[in-house]
């Protein structure tokens, strides 16, 4: 008899809810702590948004978005041709990379063009916290703990 299990583990949804809750609480907590630490206004401390610093930022951000969207479509086509039934993980990594590149661009533009220097430090520090958190989540998910 084959003991292979196909489908979701009985505790999958519970573990997923716990991971999402920890992620939301961690992101909100670090955002609150960092905004108080760097004394940054709430309007400058928004999560990923389409509020641009200037026209150069808008142009470069849209360029990053278009490049990553095209790379996601190309990777889906290549992965579907190579393994039509296999798991598609690469587009999620590309999505996280796009968000990271966009926020890194925001920090660089803020460093060059915003008069309040604490804003870019806040953005860069928050980006580092997000990167560590998402790396831990990916590590947790890929280690078959779910």
């Amino acid at each position: 008899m084959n003991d292979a299990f196909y489908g979701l583990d009985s505790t999958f949804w519970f573990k997923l809810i716990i991971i999402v809750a920890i992620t939301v609480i961690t992101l909100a907590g670090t955002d609150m702590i960092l905004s108080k630490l760097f004394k940054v206004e709430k309007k400058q401390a928004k999560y990923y948004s389409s509020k641009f610093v200037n026209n150069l930022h808008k142009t470069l951000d849209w360029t990053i978005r278009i490049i990553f969207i095209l790379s996601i479509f190309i990777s889906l086509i290549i992965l579907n041709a190579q393994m039509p039934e296999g798991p598609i993980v690469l587009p999620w990594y590309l999505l996280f990379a796009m968000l990271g590149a966009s926020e890194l661009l925001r920090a660089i533009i803020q460093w060059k063009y915003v008069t309040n220097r604490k804003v870019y430090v806040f953005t860069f520090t928050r980006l580092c916290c997000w990167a560590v958190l998402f790396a831990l989540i990916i590590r947790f998910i890929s280690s078959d703990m779910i």
Side-chain angles (χ1 to χ4, degrees):
M1 182 176 203
N2 189 359
D3 290 331
F5 178 72
Y6 298 103
L8 299 176
D9 185 16
S10 61
T11 61
F12 172 78
W13 292 109
F14 175 73
K15 290 178 182 179
L16 182 66
I17 289 171
I18 295 296
I19 289 172
V20 169
I22 289 172
T23 303
V24 168
I25 290 169
T26 305
L27 289 178
T30 55
D31 189 46
M32 185 177 65
I33 290 168
L34 289 174
S35 64
K36 290 194 187 286
L37 181 69
F38 292 116
K39 296 178 177 88
V40 176
E41 296 176 20
K42 284 293 183 188
K43 67 178 183 175
Q44 294 174 334
K46 280 190 150 187
Y47 284 105
Y48 185 80
S49 68
S50 293
K51 189 171 182 177
F52 302 109
V53 176
N54 56 21
N55 283 334
L56 175 65
H57 180 215
K58 182 176 183 178
T59 304
L60 292 175
D61 192 63
W62 274 104
T63 304
I64 288 173
R65 291 179 191 193
I66 290 170
I67 288 170
F68 274 101
I69 288 171
L70 289 175
S71 64
I72 287 172
F73 282 130
I74 291 169
S75 69
L76 285 173
I77 291 169
I78 291 171
L79 284 175
N80 194 28
Q82 289 178 349
M83 347 177 248
E85 75 285 340
I88 299 177
V89 177
L90 183 62
W92 291 109
Y93 293 139
L94 289 174
L95 180 64
F96 289 138
M98 182 195 75
L99 294 173
S102 183
E103 283 297 306
L104 182 62
L105 173 69
R106 178 180 302 279
I108 292 170
I109 295 291
Q110 287 172 344
W111 170 65
K112 289 184 87 173
Y113 297 105
V114 175
T115 56
N116 185 1
R117 301 301 252 174
K118 292 181 180 180
V119 175
Y120 92 87
V121 176
F122 169 80
T123 303
F124 186 72
T125 306
R126 185 173 62 182
L127 175 64
C128 291
C129 291
W130 288 1
V132 168
L133 181 66
F134 286 125
L136 289 174
I137 290 171
I138 289 170
R139 172 78 174 145
F140 180 74
I141 289 172
S142 65
S143 67
D144 292 332
M145 293 181 129
I146 285 190

